[in-house]
C-alpha cells in the first residue's frame, strides 16, 4: 500500500511564503512524477506544478516565477516552495504521484489547506 502525506500548509499574509512537503511511503519500486494540484472553494481542481524523476518541471502560468517544485528521490518526497503568495492562491493543495509498485498507479494525498489572508 502506498501513502502520500502532505505537510506545511497554514495561514500566511499576502506576500508571504510557505513550503509544502509530500512524502510517499510503502512498497514503491519507482516514482515517475510527483506533483501538486489545488482546489479553491467553488472552483475546479487545477494543476500547480509537476516534476519528473529526471527533474523536468512544469508550472501553471499563474504560479510561474513565484512557486518552485523540487524533489528528493532518496526520500520519495516532493516540495513546493511558494513565495509572493496572493489571496487567490488560497486553496486545498493536494499532492499526487505516478508510482510503480510494480503496477503503475496514480496516488493522491489527503490535501493541506493554504490560506492567504491579512
Amino acid at each position: 500500500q502506498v501513502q502520500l502525506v502532505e505537510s506545511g500548509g497554514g495561514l500566511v499574509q499576502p506576500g508571504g511564503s510557505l513550503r509544502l512537503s509530500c512524502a510517499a511511503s510503502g512498497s514503491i519500486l519507482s516514482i515517475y512524477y510527483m506533483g501538486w494540484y489545488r482546489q479553491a472553494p467553488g472552483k475546479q481542481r487545477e494543476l500547480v506544478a509537476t516534476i519528473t524523476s529526471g527533474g523536468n518541471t512544469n508550472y501553471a502560468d499563474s504560479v510561474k516565477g513565484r512557486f518552485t517544485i523540487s524533489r528528493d528521490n532518496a526520500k520519495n518526497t516532493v516540495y513546493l516552495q511558494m513565495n509572493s503568495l496572493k489571496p487567490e492562491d488560497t486553496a486545498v493543495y493536494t499532492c499526487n504521484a505516478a508510482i510503480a509498485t510494480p503496477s503503475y498507479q496514480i496516488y493522491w494525498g489527503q490535501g493541506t489547506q493554504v490560506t492567504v489572508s491579512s
Side-chain angles (χ1 to χ4, degrees), residues 1-17:
Q1 189 72 14
V2 172
Q3 284 190 320
L4 300 181
V5 178
E6 302 108 331
S7 61
L11 173 64
V12 64
Q13 292 186 343
S17 298

Side-chain angles (χ1 to χ4, degrees), residues 36 38 46-50 57-68 83-84 86 88-89:
W36 291 93
R38 68 184 181 185
E46 64 174 355
L47 171 70
V48 177
T50 60
T57 59
N58 179 50
Y59 295 93
D61 288 342
S62 59
V63 306
K64 283 181 181 177
R66 299 188 299 122
F67 291 10
T68 301
N83 299 328
S84 302
K86 305 174 181 180
E88 51 263 43
D89 293 318

Side-chain angles (χ1 to χ4, degrees), residues 29-81:
L29 286 185
S30 61
I31 300 178
Y32 297 102
Y33 78 82
M34 301 185 81
W36 291 93
Y37 286 73
R38 68 184 181 185
Q39 186 168 21
K43 295 188 177 181
Q44 289 190 332
R45 184 168 60 191
E46 64 174 355
L47 171 70
V48 177
T50 60
I51 184 167
T52 68
S53 58
N56 294 318
T57 59
N58 179 50
Y59 295 93
D61 288 342
S62 59
V63 306
K64 283 181 181 177
R66 299 188 299 122
F67 291 10
T68 301
I69 190 170
S70 61
R71 63 187 281 178
D72 184 332
N73 290 332
K75 296 181 179 180
N76 291 333
T77 299
V78 63
Y79 306 96
L80 186 68
Q81 178 66 44

Side-chain angles (χ1 to χ4, degrees), residues 1-4 95-101 103-109:
Q1 189 72 14
V2 172
Q3 284 190 320
L4 300 181
C95 170
N96 89 331
I99 297 175
T101 64
S103 59
Y104 177 93
Q105 189 171 339
I106 305 297
Y107 293 88
W108 292 88

